[in-house]
């Protein structure tokens, strides 16, 4: 244990059990408690419109954690994460409407459905790598959209309304919708993040990282690369299925447009901007992309009202995709480790502050 329980002045760990602790000092534990307290009080401080964006950020964070498991920690490029979200959303909708299951059973069932489909889709990863695997996941995204659009049981991609949720006598209504789901999504996100953080410290998590770095060297050390890749797809698609179920209930309906290819690209951009292979990046990426989208939406409205461009030139509409694509390119060029690297540097600075060394 460290010489001081308040600040980390060195590495004094002498046992593996000490090395497995998540928080090294009391200061880190205290900062977590303060942060959780701020999160619990956040709905009282934000307007309803911003609170809706916060709910979307948390749902996307669940999906990005799953994408990070597949792409960031295992090195398997996945361009079909939105399709796995869609599988979870439709499975949740069918469980809630056809089987009359409550939401706390329907959403995990959607996660299980996403995990099963994801494991099947991950079978090509046993033979394919890099761009070829990316094309395989892209093919699944297209197949998913086509299949949903031709199945009558799924309304051929039309809206499937979900029943209203009630917890401890509190009913989801028009007036408390955002606050209601904020306090339901937040514990799910925290639980899934802690679950993955602990899985990452086990031999299964270390096996994923070893396969990402060099699958042949991992096989020489006794790790089964194929099993590790399928495990990554299973976990990643399970998280996507949970995110899809949460998104379906939050939107009160399931529509195919919410799980299209553009959402998969958006999720991949969140993972890149946040930082691949980083748990903090799974939160920072959705926060940055959603904030960028809202700011570009406001800027587009302002440009449209100013009439700065000739008639027929719709520059305001092009501003959002332009900013989105430019952000990805700039991060890939100048900060490939994403916002998580900025978070790491900030922590290192305050760990030494006010000293220089």
């Amino acid at each position: 244990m460290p010489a001081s329980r308040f600040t980390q002045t060195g590495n004094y760990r002498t046992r593996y059990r000490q090395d497995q602790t998540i928080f090294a000092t009391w200061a880190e534990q205290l900062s977590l408690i303060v942060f959780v307290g701020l999160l619990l009080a956040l709905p009282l401080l934000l307007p309803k419109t911003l609170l809706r964006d916060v709910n979307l950020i948390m749902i996307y964070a669940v999906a990005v954690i799953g994408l990070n498991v597949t792409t960031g920690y295992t090195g398997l490029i996945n361009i079909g994460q939105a399709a796995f979200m869609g599988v979870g959303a439709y499975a949740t909708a069918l469980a809630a409407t056809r089987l009359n299951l409550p939401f706390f059973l329907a959403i995990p069932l959607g996660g299980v459905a996403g995990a099963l489909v994801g494991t099947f889709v991950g079978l090509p990863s046993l033979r394919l790598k890099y761009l070829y695997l990316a094309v395989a996941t892209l093919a699944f995204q297209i197949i998913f959209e086509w299949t949903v659009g031709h199945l009558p049981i799924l309304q051929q991609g039309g809206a499937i309304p979900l029943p209203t949720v009630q917890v401890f006598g509190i009913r989801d209504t028009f007036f408390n919708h955002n606050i209601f789901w904020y306090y339901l999504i937040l514990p799910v996100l925290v639980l899934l993040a802690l679950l993955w953080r602990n899985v990452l410290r086990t031999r299964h998590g270390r096996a994923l990282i070893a396969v990402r770095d060099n699958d042949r060297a991992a096989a020489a050390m006794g790790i089964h690369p194929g099993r590790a890749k399928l495990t990554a797809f299973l976990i990643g698609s399970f998280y996507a299925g949970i995110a899809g179920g949460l998104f379906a209930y939050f939107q009160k309906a399931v529509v195919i447009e919410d799980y299209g290819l553009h959402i998969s690209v958006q999720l991949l951009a969140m993972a890149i901007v946040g930082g691949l292979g980083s748990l903090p990046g799974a939160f920072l990426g959705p926060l940055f992309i959603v904030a960028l989208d809202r700011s570009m939406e406001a800027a587009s409205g302002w440009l449209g009202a100013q009439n700065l461009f000739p008639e027929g030139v719709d520059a305001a509409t092009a501003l959002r995709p332009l900013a989105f694509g430019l952000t990805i390119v700039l991060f890939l060029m100048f900060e490939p480790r994403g916002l998580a690297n900025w978070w790491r540097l900030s922590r290192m600075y305050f760990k030494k502050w006010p000293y220089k060394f």
Side-chain angles (χ1 to χ4, degrees), residues 54-101:
V54 172
N55 289 336
L56 291 177
I57 290 171
M58 292 193 295
I59 293 174
Y60 286 145
V62 175
V64 173
I65 292 175
L67 183 59
N68 249 327
V69 174
T70 308
T71 303
Y73 290 99
T74 318
L76 306 174
I77 304 176
N78 180 9
I79 316 181
Q81 190 73 348
F84 296 131
M85 283 184 63
V87 171
Y90 279 104
T92 300
L94 293 178
T97 57
R98 301 293 179 117
L99 303 179
N100 296 322
L101 293 180

Side-chain angles (χ1 to χ4, degrees), residues 11-303:
N11 188 357
Y12 296 93
R13 299 172 181 177
T14 57
R15 300 178 181 179
Y16 286 113
R17 184 177 297 275
Q18 296 174 350
D19 196 45
Q20 291 176 349
T21 56
I22 298 179
F23 306 105
T25 63
W26 288 350
E28 294 181 359
Q29 298 177 13
L30 180 61
S31 62
L32 176 66
I33 295 174
V34 173
F35 181 67
V36 171
L38 291 176
L39 288 179
L40 293 176
L42 193 61
L44 306 176
L45 307 175
L46 293 179
K48 292 183 179 180
T49 54
L50 288 181
L51 189 58
R52 172 180 172 79
D53 291 338
V54 172
N55 289 336
L56 291 177
I57 290 171
M58 292 193 295
I59 293 174
Y60 286 145
V62 175
V64 173
I65 292 175
L67 183 59
N68 249 327
V69 174
T70 308
T71 303
Y73 290 99
T74 318
L76 306 174
I77 304 176
N78 180 9
I79 316 181
Q81 190 73 348
F84 296 131
M85 283 184 63
V87 171
Y90 279 104
T92 300
L94 293 178
T97 57
R98 301 293 179 117
L99 303 179
N100 296 322
L101 293 180
F103 81 100
F104 56 83
L105 293 180
I107 293 178
L109 186 61
V112 172
L116 294 177
V117 174
T119 305
F120 176 76
V121 175
L123 290 176
S125 67
L126 302 178
R127 294 291 182 182
L128 302 178
K129 290 183 179 181
Y130 311 124
L131 182 62
Y132 305 99
L133 180 60
V135 173
T137 57
L138 176 61
F140 169 69
Q141 175 72 50
I142 298 174
I143 292 172
F144 166 78
E145 295 183 32
W146 184 90
T147 303
V148 172
H150 289 78
L151 283 180
I153 192 175
L154 302 180
Q155 303 295 327
Q156 295 181 335
I160 301 179
L162 272 75
T164 303
V165 176
Q166 183 174 350
V167 180
F168 301 122
I170 303 175
R171 191 177 182 86
D172 178 19
T173 64
F174 174 80
F175 299 100
N176 69 344
H177 177 71
N178 291 328
I179 297 179
F180 181 88
W181 279 104
Y182 177 87
Y183 286 113
L184 287 182
I185 298 173
L186 179 62
V188 174
L189 174 61
V190 173
L191 178 63
L192 292 178
L194 289 177
L195 176 63
W196 170 243
R197 183 66 182 86
N198 284 277
V199 170
L200 188 61
R201 297 184 298 148
T202 65
R203 61 187 181 92
H204 304 288
R206 292 192 293 270
L208 300 182
I209 298 176
V211 170
R212 177 197 65 187
D213 294 340
N214 193 323
D215 54 352
R216 293 185 179 181
M221 292 187 295
I223 299 173
H224 197 295
R227 187 180 304 157
K229 293 177 181 179
L230 290 181
T231 301
F233 267 100
L234 185 147
I235 298 175
S237 54
F238 173 78
Y239 276 62
I242 295 293
L246 291 172
F247 189 80
Y249 269 107
F250 180 67
Q251 295 290 88
K252 294 188 175 182
V254 181
V255 186
I256 185 59
E257 285 79 8
D258 292 333
Y259 310 99
L261 177 60
H262 65 288
I263 301 297
S264 287
V265 175
Q266 189 176 26
L267 293 174
L268 187 59
M270 292 176 181
I272 293 174
V273 171
L276 290 172
S278 169
L279 186 58
F283 303 98
L284 298 175
L287 175 63
F288 183 88
I289 293 297
V290 171
L292 176 68
D293 186 68
R294 295 298 179 266
S295 59
M296 290 300 104
E297 183 178 357
S300 298
W302 182 82
L303 285 177

